[in-house]
Amino acid sequence: MLKLNGANTTTRILIGDKVCVPADKAPVASVPTFTQAEVIQIIRDAWPDDLEERALFIAHRESKYQSGAISGSKCCYGLFQIYYRWHKSWLPEIGITSANQLLDPRLNAAAAFRMYQRNNGWGPWK
């Protein structure tokens, strides 16, 4: 961070000074891989029966059931391509405190269902 700001360990930072911080790096998939059948079952387990077929359709469209999928712009993660920075204010309510956790298909499916509930429908995926 010192180099990024053209500073050294004795540089003073005063109120009103602008300080550059490194950009967040895209998380690296560190969760185990899952078969397509396992992913489908995880989604079925996370969603109510009357919603699971549409959830399966969306997960396939968004990630082709690849739990480690990260969007080209590095903003959206996992099966349902959840935009972490947009939703990070409420994700801790369901135990998600980092974008990397959205690469776990169980957590991603649970977060997607919670998004569905919070938005009263499929709006986030239209």
Side-chain angles (χ1 to χ4, degrees), residues 63-96:
S63 68
K64 305 280 190 278
Y65 298 137
Q66 300 300 307
S67 60
I70 301 174
S71 68
S73 60
K74 311 286 189 261
C75 68
C76 302
Y77 303 91
L79 295 175
F80 289 87
Q81 289 295 282
I82 296 172
Y83 192 167
Y84 176 73
R85 291 182 74 182
W86 185 261
H87 299 287
K88 70 181 182 179
S89 65
W90 63 265
L91 284 168
E93 295 170 15
I94 59 169
I96 297 171

Side-chain angles (χ1 to χ4, degrees), residues 48-61:
D49 292 345
D50 60 324
L51 300 174
E52 66 185 27
E53 291 304 320
R54 178 86 170 135
L56 287 166
F57 171 82
I58 289 170
H60 186 265
R61 183 189 68 202

Side-chain angles (χ1 to χ4, degrees), residues 5-59:
N5 287 285
N8 61 45
T9 57
T10 61
T11 302
R12 289 180 160 196
I13 299 174
L14 303 173
I15 295 174
D17 287 350
K18 291 186 179 182
V19 177
C20 296
V21 294
D24 289 339
K25 294 181 181 176
V28 176
S30 61
V31 296
T33 57
F34 293 83
T35 67
Q36 181 172 315
E38 289 171 323
V39 167
I40 289 170
Q41 188 58 54
I42 288 167
I43 294 167
R44 288 188 186 283
D45 291 344
W47 287 78
D49 292 345
D50 60 324
L51 300 174
E52 66 185 27
E53 291 304 320
R54 178 86 170 135
L56 287 166
F57 171 82
I58 289 170

